[in-house]
Amino acid sequence: MTTNREKLSTTSTHHPVEWKVSDGIVSYDNALKFMEQRVEEISLGQASECVWLLEHPPIYTAGTSARAEDLVDASRFPIHPTGRGGQFTYHGPGQRVIYAMLDLRHRGKDVRAYVTALEEWVIQALANFNVTGKRYPGRVGIWVDHGGGKEDKIAAIGVRVRRWVAFHGISINVEPDLSHFDAIVPCGISDPNLGVTSLVQLGLPVTMEDLDVALMAAFQEIFET
């Protein structure tokens, strides 16, 4: 069961977007079941678009491009194959997962532009905390440049589109246990100069609620103007 701390609606050009924020830990299976049903309802015109902010228990998810050799320790946490794009990633407490169920039929029918918009959404939200998020060709997600060639990933992005309705979405590291990334090669990137980081590791005592407010404001700027 999940509980909603807050449920907000913001009006887009086309129809309202429902915001769900879950306080507790939400199982991956329950989240996937909800998304599958909601995407079907959106595609049939029976439900509004939805953005769901939540946390998962410690798990690894394998995207459609996941490689077996990138799973370093298969015994550490449960592994969930998923239909989203991308490779292996970690989800767990202290990480804000953002599932965006958005109707691309009303948003340009351009998956590449949609992923770019998701990246910009994260960049603008992080800017509220004086974090300069960067994107790089060939590396999906948002990175923090420490200088000297050292860069750490702070947000991962993986989407799936069914009948032009997008789902899955984004994860942003607020204060997860970063050692849990050690059992995988995150997103297939093994360069020793490329790692993972979090807002708290960067010295920023940001709460989930702080990030949620920033995400809601940036969403309006990116998706509703």
Side-chain angles (χ1 to χ4, degrees):
M1 295 292 293
T2 64
T3 58
N4 289 342
R5 164 159 47 85
E6 188 174 9
K7 186 182 288 187
L8 300 177
S9 290
T10 53
T11 302
S12 72
T13 304
H14 308 285
H15 44 78
V17 176
E18 178 189 356
W19 285 81
K20 287 168 56 69
V21 185
S22 292
D23 278 331
I25 300 296
V26 180
S27 77
Y28 186 78
D29 288 339
N30 285 346
L32 187 60
K33 182 178 179 180
F34 176 88
M35 282 195 289
E36 294 276 356
Q37 180 176 345
R38 189 59 169 256
V39 165
E40 179 68 14
E41 293 171 348
I42 293 170
S43 69
L44 295 173
Q46 298 173 349
S48 65
E49 297 174 301
C50 180
V51 178
W52 188 8
L53 309 179
L54 55 90
E55 293 175 79
H56 283 313
I59 60 168
Y60 300 116
T61 63
T64 54
S65 301
R67 301 175 300 187
E69 60 267 29
D70 289 339
L71 183 59
V72 179
D73 181 359
S75 65
R76 186 176 297 192
F77 296 123
I79 302 162
H80 293 263
T82 178
R84 64 157 174 80
Q87 301 184 42
F88 280 105
T89 194
Y90 166 77
H91 295 311
Q95 182 189 73
R96 177 51 91 213
V97 174
I98 304 119
Y99 287 136
M101 291 149 271
L102 299 180
D103 192 344
L104 301 188
R105 293 172 298 185
H106 304 303
R107 297 179 181 276
K109 282 191 174 183
D110 187 331
V111 176
R112 181 173 295 180
Y114 174 64
V115 172
T116 298
L118 292 179
E119 292 174 336
E120 187 61 28
W121 183 16
V122 176
I123 289 169
Q124 288 199 19
L126 293 178
N128 283 269
F129 312 108
N130 296 317
V131 174
T132 301
K134 295 189 174 183
R135 68 187 112 195
Y136 295 95
R139 279 197 260 150
V140 177
I142 301 304
W143 298 76
V144 175
D145 187 350
H146 298 290
K150 176 62 176 172
E151 297 159 3
D152 287 334
K153 193 171 194 175
I154 195 167
I157 296 174
V159 303
R160 185 174 183 180
V161 178
R162 180 182 297 156
R163 295 197 295 275
W164 288 110
V165 180
F167 57 121
H168 293 277
I170 301 165
S171 59
I172 301 176
N173 296 329
V174 178
E175 193 178 6
D177 184 338
L178 295 177
S179 71
H180 291 172
F181 285 90
D182 295 344
I184 59 171
V185 178
C187 302
I189 297 173
S190 56
D191 187 324
N193 286 320
L194 304 178
V196 291
T197 191
S198 68
L199 288 167
V200 169
Q201 187 184 58
L202 293 173
L204 302 167
V206 177
T207 67
M208 287 291 178
E209 291 79 8
D210 294 335
L211 180 58
D212 292 349
V213 170
L215 285 166
M216 291 175 184
F219 184 89
Q220 290 184 326
E221 290 294 323
I222 300 299
F223 292 99
E224 298 185 351
T225 56

